[in-house]
Amino acid sequence: MHFSYVNPTKIQFGQGQISSIKDLIPQSEKVLVMYGGGSIKKNGVYQQVSDALSEHQWIEFSGVEPNPTAEQLQQAILLCKEENVDFIVAVGGGSVIDGAKYVAAAACYDGDGWDILLGKHAIQKAIPIAAVLTLPATGSESNSGSVITKASTKDKLPFMHPLVQPQFAVMDPGVMKTLPERQLVNGLVDAWVHVCEQYLTTAAGNMVQDGYAETLLKNLLVLGRDYANHDNDQWRENLMWTANQALNGLIGAGATQDWATHMIGHELTALYHVDHARSLAIVQPSLLRNQALNKESKLKQMGKNVFGFADSDTLVSDTIDAIEAFYISLSVPVKLTEHSSTKAQAIDDIVNQLEKHGMVALGESQAITLDVTRKILEEAVA
Ligand code: NZQ
Ligand code: ZN
């Protein structure tokens, strides 16, 4: 193990915590509140944010779409520049928070913000941001990552920078009450795959990272199996905190990481508008079967420690089957059906996009070349 680890995001967890933003942003700061398509207007979150900021000077930018686009966020970047915004509060799920991260950095840059995604601009400065989380899934509220889409070219690319990590995150599980079930399930699946991307790699005997990853996976399994009882405070609290811990840097510190499922999944979202979490459930079972030999040791460990299986000759395949069955039990499809073209054309299109994005050797050991991706997609595309 060899790593540097800090998570500087202050977490304000629990019901009623939105009011605390009043004291967490200096009153002299001019605030931009960013939010999505309006769910926060219906569930009282907008009102709580307005009340908390009643003594601040603030403006708003609304309508951030799921899988936020650089084209749309350009308007928010201009607004920040024109209005000299000092602080951004993102109120929403991963899309709004990721969008705010992009705006925060691009507003401090004279060139085209997309340069950040292309690696042509190294972020030097960003407007400070905070998050009021309304959908537990991505972990974006306390990490430095962001995923932005360029709609015109169907590019969905990630960037990471410590300057865009939220200074604080309000996590009030009460706000989850209005989540459509589809989004709640998406959150469970996304968090699950985040743990897998950092855990199902090579066995390195990292007792803290492995042990904590297994705890998070077991939590998600329990919450999924108890899904019928999701309308209660404890269920919501546990999902919100588990999803946060799944991608806040802790279990990934010093661990070999994969992320191939995510990189292939991003192309499915960019090409066919598949929900982020659903893109992962489509790719991952096939990817794990393809990479079973490379991941044998960790798949066995997961089978025993997460699913409670005994050692057997079929432990690896039983574990992958159990992961797939978990998605199916949540009514999440495990095959791509959203493509309107033939299967062969869809596979070509996905592989071409990956090649264009330089995703030509994915996974913890760069074993997932474009040819391997083709084999994975043969099983994943219906
Ligand atoms: O826009 P509104 O009206 O708010 O509705 C949203 C949206 O339609 C709705 N919603 C959110 N909170 C709600 C609610 N509806 C009712 N009540 C509430 N409390 O949910 C819909 C989906 O929201 P979105 O933010 O798109 O979902 P999610 O949090 O799953 O974010 C997905 C995005 O995050 C990226 C994904 O690629 C995708 O673009 N990711 C970001 C990561 C990161 N920054 O670390 C990592 C992830 O792997 C992921 O790639
Ligand atoms: Zn994800």
Side-chain angles (χ1 to χ4, degrees):
M1 276 189 266
H2 183 89
F3 59 84
S4 170
Y5 172 73
V6 63
N7 190 314
T9 303
K10 183 183 178 96
I11 304 286
Q12 300 290 102
F13 196 97
Q15 297 207 22
Q17 285 281 24
I18 293 174
S19 62
S20 69
I21 68 180
K22 173 183 194 296
D23 300 317
L24 293 170
I25 307 171
Q27 239 177 55
S28 56
E29 311 272 84
K30 181 164 184 182
V31 178
L32 172 67
V33 174
M34 285 178 66
Y35 58 97
S39 69
I40 67 163
K41 286 252 169 107
K42 295 187 198 128
N43 61 11
V45 171
Y46 180 86
Q47 191 57 48
Q48 290 180 63
V49 171
S50 307
D51 291 349
L53 291 176
S54 62
E55 287 164 31
H56 284 78
Q57 195 192 348
W58 65 280
I59 55 175
E60 62 181 59
F61 181 86
S62 65
V64 179
E65 304 151 323
N67 307 305
T69 64
E71 286 92 341
Q72 190 199 26
L73 294 168
Q74 188 58 30
Q75 306 303 319
I77 295 166
L78 294 176
L79 189 64
C80 285
K81 289 181 173 172
E82 280 162 14
E83 298 279 339
N84 293 315
V85 166
D86 301 307
F87 200 99
I88 300 175
V89 178
V91 188
S95 293
V96 174
I97 302 170
D98 285 6
K101 290 174 177 178
Y102 175 70
V103 169
C108 299
Y109 172 52
D110 287 334
D112 179 2
W114 190 250
D115 288 348
I116 296 168
L117 283 301
L118 297 177
K120 287 188 190 164
H121 168 62
I123 296 170
Q124 311 287 337
K125 199 171 167 239
I127 298 172
I129 76 167
V132 176
L133 183 67
T134 65
L135 195 179
T138 64
S140 186
E141 67 278 7
S142 70
N143 70 36
S144 61
S146 165
V147 188
I148 304 296
T149 298
K150 193 168 197 177
S152 58
T153 48
K154 300 189 173 163
D155 299 324
K156 183 175 172 79
L157 296 174
F159 78 95
M160 294 182 84
H161 200 279
L163 284 174
V164 300
Q165 174 145 353
Q167 294 197 347
F168 65 86
V170 177
M171 300 174 63
D172 175 346
V175 309
M176 294 165 61
K177 287 179 189 164
T178 55
L179 272 173
E181 290 204 24
R182 182 185 180 96
Q183 298 301 340
L184 209 51
V185 167
N186 283 353
L188 265 172
V189 170
D190 193 20
W192 172 272
V193 180
H194 291 161
V195 181
C196 292
E197 297 273 29
Q198 300 162 88
Y199 167 80
L200 277 180
T201 58
T202 42
N206 298 338
M207 293 170 75
V208 171
Q209 293 90 326
D210 283 1
Y212 197 34
E214 286 160 7
T215 295
L216 298 175
L217 289 170
K218 280 189 282 187
N219 289 355
L220 294 165
L221 203 56
V222 167
L223 294 169
R225 287 175 177 164
D226 192 31
Y227 185 73
N229 296 314
H230 68 267
D231 192 13
N232 88 53
D233 289 340
Q234 200 179 4
W235 195 98
R236 283 188 279 266
E237 286 167 356
N238 280 313
L239 176 59
M240 198 173 233
W241 192 226
T242 303
N244 173 272
Q245 298 291 293
L247 197 50
N248 74 343
L250 183 58
I251 59 167
T256 316
Q257 304 191 14
D258 182 342
W259 297 105
T261 296
H262 269 73
M263 295 309 122
I264 301 170
H266 286 167
E267 304 298 357
L268 304 189
T269 302
L271 288 171
Y272 312 115
H273 306 288
V274 180
D275 289 1
H276 170 64
R278 284 161 195 262
S279 76
L280 308 175
I282 288 167
V283 175
Q284 194 208 28
S286 169
L287 184 144
L288 292 178
R289 289 192 178 102
N290 181 282
Q291 292 294 302
L293 266 182
N294 292 337
K295 294 177 183 289
E296 183 179 1
S297 178
K298 289 308 270 293
L299 281 164
K300 284 184 174 170
Q301 189 178 329
M302 181 170 176
K304 286 186 220 164
N305 295 353
V306 177
F307 290 106
F309 295 155
D311 211 348
S312 77
D313 291 346
T314 56
L315 183 54
V316 168
S317 58
D318 289 349
T319 303
I320 300 171
D321 290 350
I323 293 171
E324 188 174 54
F326 181 51
Y327 303 145
I328 292 169
S329 76
L330 295 166
S331 305
V332 173
V334 292
K335 300 274 181 212
L336 181 76
T337 54
E338 287 85 346
H339 54 297
S340 47
S341 60
T342 61
K343 174 172 173 169
Q345 184 65 53
I347 293 174
D348 279 348
D349 291 344
I350 299 161
V351 170
N352 287 342
Q353 286 295 89
L354 284 164
E355 186 169 22
K356 172 178 156 197
H357 298 142
M359 308 285 179
V360 295
L362 299 170
E364 65 273 15
S365 50
Q366 288 81 54
I368 303 177
T369 58
L370 293 178
D371 285 343
V372 175
T373 301
R374 268 185 191 282
K375 294 198 178 102
I376 292 168
L377 291 170
E378 276 295 332
E379 301 304 317
V381 179

